[in-house]
């Protein structure tokens, strides 16, 4: 029990360090951090494992050309919510959603067979670059259209939720910071 608790404490510490602390330390307007969170979450739930941070960088570069600014660091960090552990369930959710949206109710592969196919792609003992390319080929060739169609509503929903949550989080954090400073200054007088 103690080992499991330490594991979850380490995970929480990593989440706090990589995702929440950058939100709290940002000196930009709250919208800047909120847009970074939204962009990161939107790309995190696309079937682009391994290249999500590069796509975020491309989005940032294109956005700057159109005077749309967001935190590149936060956007890249929020892509990490989709990782080797959360990737298969996220891809399956996108696949199942896509099959439903395409009207293919009778052609939805079960989660177990989906995971078996996923694991077979990664059990080859190949370098990680080959494994990522295999996963991308599977996402395009085998389930492509369904996954891409199915990820769109989830990307949009999570981007909107992430934007509003992080905006409120940053604003609330800044208000708490101002109140603490005001209390300290009041005690000095």
């Amino acid at each position: 029990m103690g080992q499991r608790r330490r594991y979850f404490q380490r995970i929480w510490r990593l989440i706090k360090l990589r995702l929440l602390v950058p939100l709290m330390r940002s000196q930009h307007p709250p919208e800047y951090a909120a847009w970074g969170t939204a962009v990161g979450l939107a790309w995190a739930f696309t079937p682009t494992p391994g290249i999500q941070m590069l796509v975020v960088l491309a989005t940032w570069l294109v956005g700057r050309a159109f005077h749309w600014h967001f935190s590149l660091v936060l956007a890249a960090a929020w892509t990490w919510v989709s990782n080797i552990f959360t990737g298969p369930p996220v891809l399956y959710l996108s696949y199942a959603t896509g099959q439903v949206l395409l009207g293919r109710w009778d052609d939805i592969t079960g989660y177990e067979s989906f995971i078996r196919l996923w694991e077979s792609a990664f059990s080859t003992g190949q370098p990680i670059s080959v494994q990522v390319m295999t996963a991308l080929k599977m996402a395009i060739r085998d389930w492509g259209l369904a996954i891409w169609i199915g990820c769109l509503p989830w990307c949009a929903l999570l981007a909107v939720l992430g934007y509003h949550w992080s905006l409120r989080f940053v604003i609330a954090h800044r208000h708490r910071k101002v109140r603490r400073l005001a209390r300290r200054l009041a005690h000095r007088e």
Side-chain angles (χ1 to χ4, degrees):
M1 182 68 175
Q3 186 177 14
R4 179 182 278 179
R5 185 172 182 208
R6 283 193 301 271
Y7 173 76
F8 286 116
Q9 285 174 335
R10 281 197 326 238
I11 295 294
W12 172 244
R13 185 175 182 274
L14 184 63
I15 289 169
K16 187 176 176 185
L17 181 66
R18 299 289 183 209
L19 299 176
L20 299 179
V21 169
L23 278 172
M24 294 186 294
R25 290 188 177 167
S26 176
Q27 299 300 314
H28 292 89
E31 294 80 12
Y32 182 80
W35 279 117
T37 301
V39 169
L41 283 172
W43 282 113
F45 289 88
T46 60
T48 54
I51 63 168
Q52 293 160 333
M53 290 196 307
L54 292 174
V55 179
V56 163
L57 175 62
T59 304
W60 183 76
L61 291 170
V62 169
R64 291 185 65 80
F66 293 99
H67 304 290
W68 179 47
H69 302 286
F70 62 87
S71 172
L72 176 61
V73 171
L74 283 170
W78 279 98
T79 64
W80 298 343
V81 299
S82 176
N83 54 49
I84 195 70
F85 303 109
T86 62
V90 165
L91 286 176
Y92 181 74
L93 180 64
S94 293
Y95 165 75
T97 303
Q99 289 291 71
V100 168
L101 291 174
L102 292 169
R104 301 178 187 163
W105 294 86
D106 57 342
D107 192 26
I108 299 175
T109 304
Y111 184 71
E112 288 78 24
S113 61
F114 184 90
I115 293 302
R116 274 195 303 276
L117 189 56
W118 179 266
E119 288 172 347
S120 70
F122 289 104
S123 65
T124 61
Q126 297 289 330
I128 191 71
S129 59
V130 173
Q131 292 178 10
V132 167
M133 290 309 296
T134 301
L136 283 173
K137 286 177 189 172
M138 284 174 28
I140 293 167
R141 184 186 59 223
D142 299 330
W143 311 306
L145 182 62
I147 287 180
W148 279 102
I149 296 293
C151 81
L152 296 177
W154 295 109
C155 293
L157 175 67
L158 292 166
V160 167
L161 291 175
Y163 176 86
H164 289 292
W165 173 82
S166 59
L167 184 65
R168 288 186 8 210
F169 180 85
V170 171
I171 290 170
H173 173 72
R174 290 183 181 179
H175 285 310
R176 285 190 305 270
K177 198 172 170 181
V178 166
R179 285 194 303 268
R180 279 194 310 260
L181 181 62
R183 280 195 304 263
R184 273 192 239 143
L185 291 175
H187 287 326
R188 285 185 185 175
E189 293 176 356

PDB file of all heavy atoms in Angstrom, residues 21-38:
ATOM      1  N   VAL A  21       2.422  24.478 -12.073  1.00  0.00           N
ATOM      2  CA  VAL A  21       3.383  25.534 -11.734  1.00  0.00           C
ATOM      3  C   VAL A  21       3.590  26.498 -12.900  1.00  0.00           C
ATOM      4  O   VAL A  21       3.583  27.716 -12.690  1.00  0.00           O
ATOM      5  CB  VAL A  21       4.714  24.932 -11.217  1.00  0.00           C
ATOM      6  CG1 VAL A  21       5.793  25.981 -11.116  1.00  0.00           C
ATOM      7  CG2 VAL A  21       4.494  24.263  -9.860  1.00  0.00           C
ATOM      8  N   PRO A  22       3.746  26.005 -14.145  1.00  0.00           N
ATOM      9  CA  PRO A  22       3.863  26.983 -15.242  1.00  0.00           C
ATOM     10  C   PRO A  22       2.629  27.879 -15.382  1.00  0.00           C
ATOM     11  O   PRO A  22       2.759  29.054 -15.730  1.00  0.00           O
ATOM     12  CB  PRO A  22       4.039  26.103 -16.483  1.00  0.00           C
ATOM     13  CG  PRO A  22       4.612  24.839 -15.976  1.00  0.00           C
ATOM     14  CD  PRO A  22       4.002  24.646 -14.615  1.00  0.00           C
ATOM     15  N   LEU A  23       1.446  27.342 -15.105  1.00  0.00           N
ATOM     16  CA  LEU A  23       0.243  28.186 -15.129  1.00  0.00           C
ATOM     17  C   LEU A  23       0.332  29.279 -14.070  1.00  0.00           C
ATOM     18  O   LEU A  23      -0.020  30.432 -14.313  1.00  0.00           O
ATOM     19  CB  LEU A  23      -1.009  27.347 -14.867  1.00  0.00           C
ATOM     20  CG  LEU A  23      -1.618  26.593 -16.026  1.00  0.00           C
ATOM     21  CD1 LEU A  23      -2.718  25.660 -15.534  1.00  0.00           C
ATOM     22  CD2 LEU A  23      -2.148  27.527 -17.077  1.00  0.00           C
ATOM     23  N   MET A  24       0.812  28.905 -12.874  1.00  0.00           N
ATOM     24  CA  MET A  24       0.852  29.854 -11.763  1.00  0.00           C
ATOM     25  C   MET A  24       1.955  30.897 -11.938  1.00  0.00           C
ATOM     26  O   MET A  24       1.813  32.019 -11.472  1.00  0.00           O
ATOM     27  CB  MET A  24       1.056  29.107 -10.440  1.00  0.00           C
ATOM     28  CG  MET A  24      -0.126  28.220 -10.081  1.00  0.00           C
ATOM     29  SD  MET A  24      -0.025  27.446  -8.460  1.00  0.00           S
ATOM     30  CE  MET A  24       1.356  26.338  -8.640  1.00  0.00           C
ATOM     31  N   ARG A  25       3.037  30.550 -12.601  1.00  0.00           N
ATOM     32  CA  ARG A  25       4.170  31.471 -12.715  1.00  0.00           C
ATOM     33  C   ARG A  25       4.113  32.377 -13.937  1.00  0.00           C
ATOM     34  O   ARG A  25       4.940  33.267 -14.074  1.00  0.00           O
ATOM     35  CB  ARG A  25       5.471  30.679 -12.733  1.00  0.00           C
ATOM     36  CG  ARG A  25       5.766  30.064 -11.399  1.00  0.00           C
ATOM     37  CD  ARG A  25       7.119  29.452 -11.384  1.00  0.00           C
ATOM     38  NE  ARG A  25       7.404  28.916 -10.062  1.00  0.00           N
ATOM     39  CZ  ARG A  25       8.395  28.111  -9.788  1.00  0.00           C
ATOM     40  NH1 ARG A  25       9.222  27.741 -10.741  1.00  0.00           N
ATOM     41  NH2 ARG A  25       8.583  27.672  -8.568  1.00  0.00           N
ATOM     42  N   SER A  26       3.186  32.142 -14.818  1.00  0.00           N
ATOM     43  CA  SER A  26       3.111  32.937 -16.039  1.00  0.00           C
ATOM     44  C   SER A  26       2.887  34.406 -15.703  1.00  0.00           C
ATOM     45  O   SER A  26       2.036  34.749 -14.891  1.00  0.00           O
ATOM     46  CB  SER A  26       1.968  32.422 -16.915  1.00  0.00           C
ATOM     47  OG  SER A  26       1.828  33.247 -18.044  1.00  0.00           O
ATOM     48  N   GLN A  27       3.643  35.274 -16.354  1.00  0.00           N
ATOM     49  CA  GLN A  27       3.503  36.716 -16.150  1.00  0.00           C
ATOM     50  C   GLN A  27       2.634  37.361 -17.234  1.00  0.00           C
ATOM     51  O   GLN A  27       2.385  38.550 -17.196  1.00  0.00           O
ATOM     52  CB  GLN A  27       4.888  37.376 -16.150  1.00  0.00           C
ATOM     53  CG  GLN A  27       5.802  36.881 -15.046  1.00  0.00           C
ATOM     54  CD  GLN A  27       5.232  37.143 -13.664  1.00  0.00           C
ATOM     55  OE1 GLN A  27       4.751  38.232 -13.371  1.00  0.00           O
ATOM     56  NE2 GLN A  27       5.263  36.131 -12.816  1.00  0.00           N
ATOM     57  N   HIS A  28       2.188  36.566 -18.183  1.00  0.00           N
ATOM     58  CA  HIS A  28       1.360  37.055 -19.283  1.00  0.00           C
ATOM     59  C   HIS A  28      -0.096  37.175 -18.827  1.00  0.00           C
ATOM     60  O   HIS A  28      -0.465  36.696 -17.761  1.00  0.00           O
ATOM     61  CB  HIS A  28       1.456  36.094 -20.470  1.00  0.00           C
ATOM     62  CG  HIS A  28       2.800  36.081 -21.106  1.00  0.00           C
ATOM     63  ND1 HIS A  28       3.803  35.244 -20.693  1.00  0.00           N
ATOM     64  CD2 HIS A  28       3.313  36.809 -22.126  1.00  0.00           C
ATOM     65  CE1 HIS A  28       4.878  35.440 -21.420  1.00  0.00           C
ATOM     66  NE2 HIS A  28       4.615  36.384 -22.297  1.00  0.00           N
ATOM     67  N   PRO A  29      -0.930  37.759 -19.653  1.00  0.00           N
ATOM     68  CA  PRO A  29      -2.369  37.788 -19.333  1.00  0.00           C
ATOM     69  C   PRO A  29      -2.898  36.354 -19.176  1.00  0.00           C
ATOM     70  O   PRO A  29      -2.381  35.431 -19.810  1.00  0.00           O
ATOM     71  CB  PRO A  29      -2.996  38.477 -20.540  1.00  0.00           C
ATOM     72  CG  PRO A  29      -1.887  39.236 -21.193  1.00  0.00           C
ATOM     73  CD  PRO A  29      -0.627  38.484 -20.893  1.00  0.00           C
ATOM     74  N   PRO A  30      -3.903  36.158 -18.361  1.00  0.00           N
ATOM     75  CA  PRO A  30      -4.435  34.807 -18.137  1.00  0.00           C
ATOM     76  C   PRO A  30      -4.858  34.099 -19.426  1.00  0.00           C
ATOM     77  O   PRO A  30      -4.728  32.886 -19.540  1.00  0.00           O
ATOM     78  CB  PRO A  30      -5.636  35.034 -17.223  1.00  0.00           C
ATOM     79  CG  PRO A  30      -5.377  36.333 -16.559  1.00  0.00           C
ATOM     80  CD  PRO A  30      -4.584  37.143 -17.528  1.00  0.00           C
ATOM     81  N   GLU A  31      -5.327  34.849 -20.404  1.00  0.00           N
ATOM     82  CA  GLU A  31      -5.755  34.249 -21.665  1.00  0.00           C
ATOM     83  C   GLU A  31      -4.589  33.585 -22.401  1.00  0.00           C
ATOM     84  O   GLU A  31      -4.779  32.583 -23.098  1.00  0.00           O
ATOM     85  CB  GLU A  31      -6.401  35.299 -22.583  1.00  0.00           C
ATOM     86  CG  GLU A  31      -7.691  35.859 -22.060  1.00  0.00           C
ATOM     87  CD  GLU A  31      -7.502  36.936 -20.998  1.00  0.00           C
ATOM     88  OE1 GLU A  31      -6.373  37.431 -20.815  1.00  0.00           O
ATOM     89  OE2 GLU A  31      -8.499  37.266 -20.333  1.00  0.00           O
ATOM     90  N   TYR A  32      -3.394  34.126 -22.238  1.00  0.00           N
ATOM     91  CA  TYR A  32      -2.196  33.569 -22.877  1.00  0.00           C
ATOM     92  C   TYR A  32      -1.951  32.142 -22.385  1.00  0.00           C
ATOM     93  O   TYR A  32      -1.716  31.226 -23.172  1.00  0.00           O
ATOM     94  CB  TYR A  32      -1.013  34.482 -22.532  1.00  0.00           C
ATOM     95  CG  TYR A  32       0.303  34.107 -23.143  1.00  0.00           C
ATOM     96  CD1 TYR A  32       0.590  34.442 -24.460  1.00  0.00           C
ATOM     97  CD2 TYR A  32       1.282  33.469 -22.398  1.00  0.00           C
ATOM     98  CE1 TYR A  32       1.818  34.131 -25.022  1.00  0.00           C
ATOM     99  CE2 TYR A  32       2.511  33.159 -22.945  1.00  0.00           C
ATOM    100  CZ  TYR A  32       2.772  33.493 -24.256  1.00  0.00           C
ATOM    101  OH  TYR A  32       3.995  33.188 -24.802  1.00  0.00           O
ATOM    102  N   ALA A  33      -2.049  31.944 -21.087  1.00  0.00           N
ATOM    103  CA  ALA A  33      -1.882  30.604 -20.509  1.00  0.00           C
ATOM    104  C   ALA A  33      -3.066  29.713 -20.879  1.00  0.00           C
ATOM    105  O   ALA A  33      -2.884  28.523 -21.190  1.00  0.00           O
ATOM    106  CB  ALA A  33      -1.748  30.696 -18.991  1.00  0.00           C
ATOM    107  N   ALA A  34      -4.264  30.262 -20.872  1.00  0.00           N
ATOM    108  CA  ALA A  34      -5.461  29.475 -21.181  1.00  0.00           C
ATOM    109  C   ALA A  34      -5.426  28.970 -22.619  1.00  0.00           C
ATOM    110  O   ALA A  34      -5.770  27.810 -22.889  1.00  0.00           O
ATOM    111  CB  ALA A  34      -6.721  30.297 -20.923  1.00  0.00           C
ATOM    112  N   TRP A  35      -5.002  29.819 -23.547  1.00  0.00           N
ATOM    113  CA  TRP A  35      -4.894  29.369 -24.933  1.00  0.00           C
ATOM    114  C   TRP A  35      -3.820  28.296 -25.072  1.00  0.00           C
ATOM    115  O   TRP A  35      -3.974  27.352 -25.853  1.00  0.00           O
ATOM    116  CB  TRP A  35      -4.603  30.533 -25.874  1.00  0.00           C
ATOM    117  CG  TRP A  35      -5.817  31.312 -26.253  1.00  0.00           C
ATOM    118  CD1 TRP A  35      -6.079  32.619 -25.974  1.00  0.00           C
ATOM    119  CD2 TRP A  35      -6.949  30.835 -26.978  1.00  0.00           C
ATOM    120  NE1 TRP A  35      -7.308  32.977 -26.472  1.00  0.00           N
ATOM    121  CE2 TRP A  35      -7.858  31.900 -27.105  1.00  0.00           C
ATOM    122  CE3 TRP A  35      -7.290  29.601 -27.537  1.00  0.00           C
ATOM    123  CZ2 TRP A  35      -9.077  31.774 -27.758  1.00  0.00           C
ATOM    124  CZ3 TRP A  35      -8.502  29.478 -28.191  1.00  0.00           C
ATOM    125  CH2 TRP A  35      -9.377  30.551 -28.302  1.00  0.00           C
ATOM    126  N   GLY A  36      -2.733  28.411 -24.327  1.00  0.00           N
ATOM    127  CA  GLY A  36      -1.698  27.368 -24.359  1.00  0.00           C
ATOM    128  C   GLY A  36      -2.252  26.031 -23.907  1.00  0.00           C
ATOM    129  O   GLY A  36      -1.995  24.988 -24.520  1.00  0.00           O
ATOM    130  N   THR A  37      -3.028  26.054 -22.835  1.00  0.00           N
ATOM    131  CA  THR A  37      -3.653  24.820 -22.336  1.00  0.00           C
ATOM    132  C   THR A  37      -4.612  24.253 -23.378  1.00  0.00           C
ATOM    133  O   THR A  37      -4.608  23.046 -23.645  1.00  0.00           O
ATOM    134  CB  THR A  37      -4.400  25.102 -21.021  1.00  0.00           C
ATOM    135  OG1 THR A  37      -3.473  25.612 -20.066  1.00  0.00           O
ATOM    136  CG2 THR A  37      -5.050  23.844 -20.480  1.00  0.00           C
ATOM    137  N   ALA A  38      -5.416  25.108 -23.980  1.00  0.00           N
ATOM    138  CA  ALA A  38      -6.394  24.654 -24.974  1.00  0.00           C
ATOM    139  C   ALA A  38      -5.710  24.020 -26.184  1.00  0.00           C
ATOM    140  O   ALA A  38      -6.118  22.946 -26.641  1.00  0.00           O
ATOM    141  CB  ALA A  38      -7.269  25.831 -25.414  1.00  0.00           C
TER     142      ALA A  38
END
